[in-house]
């Protein structure tokens, strides 16, 4: 157990629907990252939050949004789902010294596998 | 733009050595290395922060050439447990604290 909790582990839904993925970081970690991994592909950076504020953004679609709450858990919202959104979505958190580059060692959660039919 | 990893895949016999390379078109601030086993989450191996820095982790080590904007991961006397996909992650001077990963190198170890 890495200490990063993601729910749900698996999710099957239909095109056009909306889902919310949830992430609880390791105790004490302030930063949360979201990555998308399509089948046997690399890790595509979506977005990063640090202590409730958006810190960095990747190639995140407009249909996707995220936020980090005061208790530091984060949610990734995916709407108007398409078949191509089927993927494993990882959340990662990093240590309290994060926020400055070079100190962001990532601890990944087990991922949420989304299947869009 | 993501860093470029090479090779894309490598097959070794137990006990053989391997080198995985990671290069960036942008000036690197740090390089991270992670290993992902099939069906699992990526796991941190090491981070290199300074140009020329070399770090080791058991028989896995890495170097970082800041001038060439490259890093290499060295796996010595490979064991079956080394199998998996290795990702390098880069932080750039020109960006915020986002970590961009390469496409990965799939390493298979045969007994």
């Amino acid at each position: 157990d890495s200490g990063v909790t993601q729910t749900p582990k698996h999710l099957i839904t239909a095109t056009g629907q909306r889902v919310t993925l949830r992430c609880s970081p390791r105790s004490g970690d302030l930063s949360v990252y979201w990555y998308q991994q399509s089948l046997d592909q690399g890790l595509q950076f979506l977005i990063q939050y640090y202590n409730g504020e958006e810190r960095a953004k990747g190639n995140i679609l407009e249909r996707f949004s995220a936020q980090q709450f005061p208790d530091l858990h984060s949610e990734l919202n995916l709407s108007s789902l398409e078949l191509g959104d089927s993927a494993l979505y990882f959340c990662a958190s990093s240590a309290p010294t994060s926020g400055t580059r070079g100190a962001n060692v990532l601890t990944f959660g087990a991922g949420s596998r989304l299947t869009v039919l | 733009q993501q860093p470029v990893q090479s090779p894309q895949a490598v097959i070794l016999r137990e006990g053989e050595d391997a080198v995985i390379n990671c290069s960036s078109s942008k000036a690197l601030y740090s390089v991270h290395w992670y290993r992902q086993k099939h069906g699992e989450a990526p796991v941190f191996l090491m981070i290199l922060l300074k140009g020329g820095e070399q770090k080791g982790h058991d028989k896995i080590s890495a170097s970082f050439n800041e001038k060439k904007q490259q890093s290499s991961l060295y796996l010595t006397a490979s064991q079956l447990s080394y199998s998996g996909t290795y990702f390098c992650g880069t932080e750039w001077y020109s960006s915020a604290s986002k970590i961009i990963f390469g496409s990965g190198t799939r390493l298979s170890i045969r007994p």
Side-chain angles (χ1 to χ4, degrees):
Chain A
D1 183 3
S2 68
V4 178
T5 303
Q6 289 189 246
T7 56
K9 284 188 168 46
H10 300 277
L11 189 54
I12 301 174
T13 189
T15 54
Q17 295 298 305
R18 172 189 170 93
V19 299
T20 297
L21 309 180
R22 182 188 167 101
C23 170
S24 294
R26 282 190 321 168
S27 177
D29 284 2
L30 300 179
S31 221
V32 169
Y33 294 71
W34 286 97
Y35 288 89
Q36 178 193 53
Q37 187 174 42
S38 300
L39 188 64
D40 291 332
Q41 297 296 311
L43 297 156
Q44 299 299 318
F45 172 72
L46 295 178
I47 199 163
Q48 181 212 357
Y49 283 86
Y50 176 72
N51 203 20
E53 293 188 3
E54 183 183 305
R55 178 59 64 97
K57 215 167 185 177
N59 295 326
I60 186 168
L61 299 172
E62 284 190 13
R63 300 184 286 108
F64 296 0
S65 64
Q67 54 183 323
Q68 186 179 27
F69 295 86
D71 67 352
L72 300 178
H73 92 271
S74 178
E75 293 181 357
L76 179 66
N77 301 295
L78 315 174
S79 61
S80 302
L81 285 168
E82 302 175 358
L83 295 177
D85 297 329
S86 295
L88 194 51
Y89 291 85
F90 283 109
C91 165
S93 69
S94 63
T97 53
S98 61
T100 57
R101 285 174 300 176
N104 298 299
V105 173
L106 302 180
T107 300
F108 284 82
S112 292
R113 183 171 296 280
L114 172 66
T115 302
V116 182
L117 301 175
Chain B
Q1 191 172 3
Q2 66 180 157
V4 177
Q5 280 187 241
S6 63
Q8 289 185 321
V10 59
I11 300 173
L12 297 176
R13 289 199 178 276
E14 220 176 346
E16 292 181 336
D17 301 340
V19 179
I20 300 171
N21 299 303
C22 175
S23 63
S24 171
S25 59
K26 297 184 182 182
L28 290 172
Y29 182 81
S30 70
V31 178
H32 305 224
W33 287 97
Y34 292 77
R35 177 172 62 205
Q36 183 180 30
K37 292 188 178 287
H38 184 69
E40 299 181 8
V43 173
F44 171 75
L45 293 176
M46 62 190 76
I47 181 172
L48 301 106
L49 292 173
K50 298 177 184 177
E53 185 175 17
Q54 291 190 323
K55 283 205 167 183
H57 184 300
D58 195 11
K59 291 181 180 175
I60 301 175
S61 61
S63 64
F64 178 21
N65 186 322
E66 196 174 0
K67 282 187 178 178
K68 291 186 177 180
Q69 297 167 187
Q70 293 176 345
S71 177
S72 294
L73 186 72
Y74 307 93
L75 299 103
T76 306
S78 57
Q79 307 167 15
L80 292 175
S81 62
Y82 287 1
S83 291
T85 300
Y86 290 78
F87 291 98
C88 73
T90 54
E91 288 182 275
W92 300 316
Y93 278 101
S94 59
S95 302
S97 54
K98 60 185 178 183
I99 299 168
I100 305 299
F101 287 94
S103 57
T105 296
R106 182 170 294 182
L107 177 65
S108 301
I109 310 292
R110 307 282 191 227

